[in-house]
C-alpha cells in the first residue's frame, strides 16, 4: 500500500486488517511527516566587510552545522532543545557530539576530503517522533583580491583591482584573502610574504595586508607584485596572488 504523505501539520491514519486462520489482527499506523533544516557556517573563515556572500570552508576549517527540526504534536511545534540528536560525520557515528539537546555539530574538515557528509537522526525523548537529514559540505580554495585604499573614502570595496593595473600616481593597495583561516587579518598565525619582481618586500606597518605603491616621475615600465599568505599551523590554509603592474 502506498500513499501521499500530508503536509507537516497533518497526519494520515492507515488501518491494516489481517485475517489469519485463528482470527483477525488489526494494526493502526499513523503517518505524520516531520522535517528538519540543516544550516552550516565556516566559523573561522575570513571574508571582507560588507561581503554579501557566504564564507566557505577551506582545508582544515572549523565548520558548525545546526539542526532546526520541525516536529509538530497537537498543533504545537516541539522545542528543539527537548530532543535527542545522533550525529554522523562521513557515515561514522560521533558519540561525543550526540545526545540530548545537542542540536549543533562542530567539526574540522580534512585536507584530503573535498566533500564531507554530515547527517543527524533526531528523536523525541519518547521515541514517538523523529526525522533524519543529511547535507554535503564542500571545501573551497582560499583566494586573494586586491582593492585600492583611498585617502578620503577608505577601501574601495566596489572596485576590485584587476590584472595589468596601471599606476598613475602614488596609491595604496590592500590584499584581502577570502576564506583564509583564521578570520582576523591581524592574527599572528598569518604570515604575509610580499615580493616585487621576486624581490622580498618588508612591510613595517601592523597591517600586513597593505602595501604602498610609489610612482617615480619620468619612469615607466612593468612589474609583478606577489603576495603569499600562510597559516603557520595549517599548511593547507594558504593563498597566493600575482598582480601585473604598469607605471
Amino acid at each position: 500500500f502506498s500513499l501521499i504523505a500530508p503536509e507537516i501539520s497533518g497526519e494520515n491514519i492507515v488501518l491494516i486488517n489481517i485475517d489469519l486462520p485463528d482470527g483477525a489482527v488489526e494494526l493502526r499506523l499513523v503517518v505524520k511527516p516531520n522535517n528538519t533544516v540543516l544550516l552550516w557556517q565556516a566559523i573561522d573563515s575570513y571574508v571582507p566587510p560588507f561581503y554579501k556572500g557566504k564564507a566557505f570552508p577551506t582545508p582544515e576549517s572549523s565548520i558548525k552545522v545546526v539542526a532546526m527540526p520541525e516536529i509538530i504534536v497537537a498543533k504545537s511545534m516541539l522545542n528543539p532543545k527537548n530532543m535527542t540528536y545522533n550525529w554522523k560525520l562521513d557515515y561514522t557515528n560521533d558519540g561525543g557530539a550526540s545526545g540530548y539537546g545537542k542540536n549543533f555539530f562542530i567539526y574540522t574538515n580534512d585536507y584530503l576530503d573535498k566533500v564531507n557528509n554530515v547527517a543527524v537522526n533526531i528523536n523525541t525523548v519518547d521515541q514517538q517522533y523523529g526525522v533524519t537529514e543529511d547535507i554535503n559540505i564542500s571545501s573551497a580554495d582560499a583566494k586573494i583580491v586586491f582593492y585600492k585604499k583611498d585617502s578620503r573614502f577608505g577601501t574601495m570595496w566596489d572596485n576590485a583591482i584587476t590584472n595589468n593595473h596601471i599606476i598613475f600616481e602614488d596609491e595604496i593597495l590592500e590584499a584581502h584573502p577570502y576564506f583564509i583561516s583564521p578570520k582576523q587579518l591581524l592574527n599572528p598565525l598569518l604570515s604575509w610574504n610580499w615580493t616585487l619582481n621576486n624581490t622580498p618586500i618588508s612591510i613595517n606597518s601592523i597591517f600586513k595586508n597593505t602595501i604602498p605603491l610609489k610612482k617615480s616621475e619620468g619612469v615607466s615600465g612593468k612589474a609583478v607584485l606577489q603576495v603569499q599568505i600562510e597559516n603557520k599551523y595549517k599548511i593547507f590554509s594558504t593563498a597566493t596572488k600575482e598582480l601585473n603592474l604598469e607605471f
Side-chain angles (χ1 to χ4, degrees):
F1 177 76
S2 62
L3 75 158
I4 297 176
E7 296 181 355
I8 294 297
S9 58
E11 67 178 29
N12 288 139
I13 299 177
V14 180
L15 297 177
I16 309 169
N17 293 296
I18 306 174
D19 292 323
L20 301 172
D22 55 352
V25 176
E26 182 179 278
L27 302 177
R28 185 175 184 269
L29 176 66
V30 178
V31 179
K32 188 177 181 63
N34 300 309
N35 186 43
T36 188
V37 176
L38 295 181
L39 303 178
W40 66 268
Q41 67 174 133
I43 58 180
D44 64 344
S45 179
Y46 173 81
V47 290
F50 310 111
Y51 179 65
K52 296 181 180 180
K54 191 178 185 71
F56 289 105
T58 51
E60 300 179 292
S61 288
S62 294
I63 302 168
K64 182 177 182 179
V65 183
V66 179
M68 302 178 64
E70 298 176 353
I71 299 179
I72 300 175
V73 178
K75 299 183 179 180
S76 297
M77 186 172 295
L78 300 182
N79 189 338
K81 290 294 185 180
N82 297 332
M83 303 179 193
T84 60
Y85 297 80
N86 180 31
W87 291 96
K88 292 182 179 181
L89 176 61
D90 293 328
Y91 313 102
T92 300
N93 287 315
D94 192 326
S98 303
Y100 179 78
K102 295 184 176 181
N103 66 320
F104 67 90
F105 177 69
I106 298 177
Y107 73 99
T108 300
N109 63 355
D110 194 289
Y111 66 90
L112 295 175
D113 299 326
K114 293 295 292 183
V115 181
N116 293 111
N117 180 269
V118 178
V120 62
N121 178 255
I122 307 171
N123 289 282
T124 56
V125 177
D126 59 8
Q127 300 291 310
Q128 293 296 310
Y129 304 96
V131 61
T132 299
E133 186 61 272
D134 74 315
I135 187 173
N136 291 320
I137 302 176
S138 302
S139 62
D141 294 323
K143 65 178 183 178
I144 300 173
V145 179
F146 289 103
Y147 299 94
K148 182 178 179 180
K149 185 175 183 180
D150 188 86
S151 58
R152 295 174 299 170
F153 303 107
T155 307
M156 309 300 288
W157 298 111
D158 59 339
N159 188 20
I161 301 298
T162 58
N163 211 10
N164 299 318
H165 177 59
I166 301 176
I167 302 175
F168 295 101
E169 57 185 0
D170 296 352
E171 61 183 54
I172 298 176
L173 293 186
E174 287 187 347
H176 285 269
Y178 286 69
F179 319 137
I180 201 76
S181 173
K183 64 192 306 181
Q184 296 83 20
L185 294 189
L186 297 181
N187 194 306
L189 291 179
L190 290 180
S191 172
W192 298 75
N193 300 301
W194 291 88
T195 62
L196 185 65
N197 291 334
N198 295 321
T199 301
I201 303 174
S202 178
I203 305 297
N204 297 322
S205 170
I206 63 171
F207 301 102
K208 302 301 182 182
N209 67 316
T210 302
I211 184 169
L213 299 177
K214 184 176 180 63
K215 178 176 173 59
S216 300
E217 185 175 353
V219 178
S220 62
K222 296 182 179 181
V224 178
L225 178 69
Q226 184 188 77
V227 59
Q228 183 184 59
I229 308 169
E230 295 179 314
N231 185 310
K232 296 178 182 179
Y233 294 100
K234 296 181 179 180
I235 61 175
F236 292 95
S237 184
T238 180
T240 303
K241 179 72 173 183
E242 284 189 354
L243 181 65
N244 293 320
L245 304 175
E246 298 181 15
F247 52 91

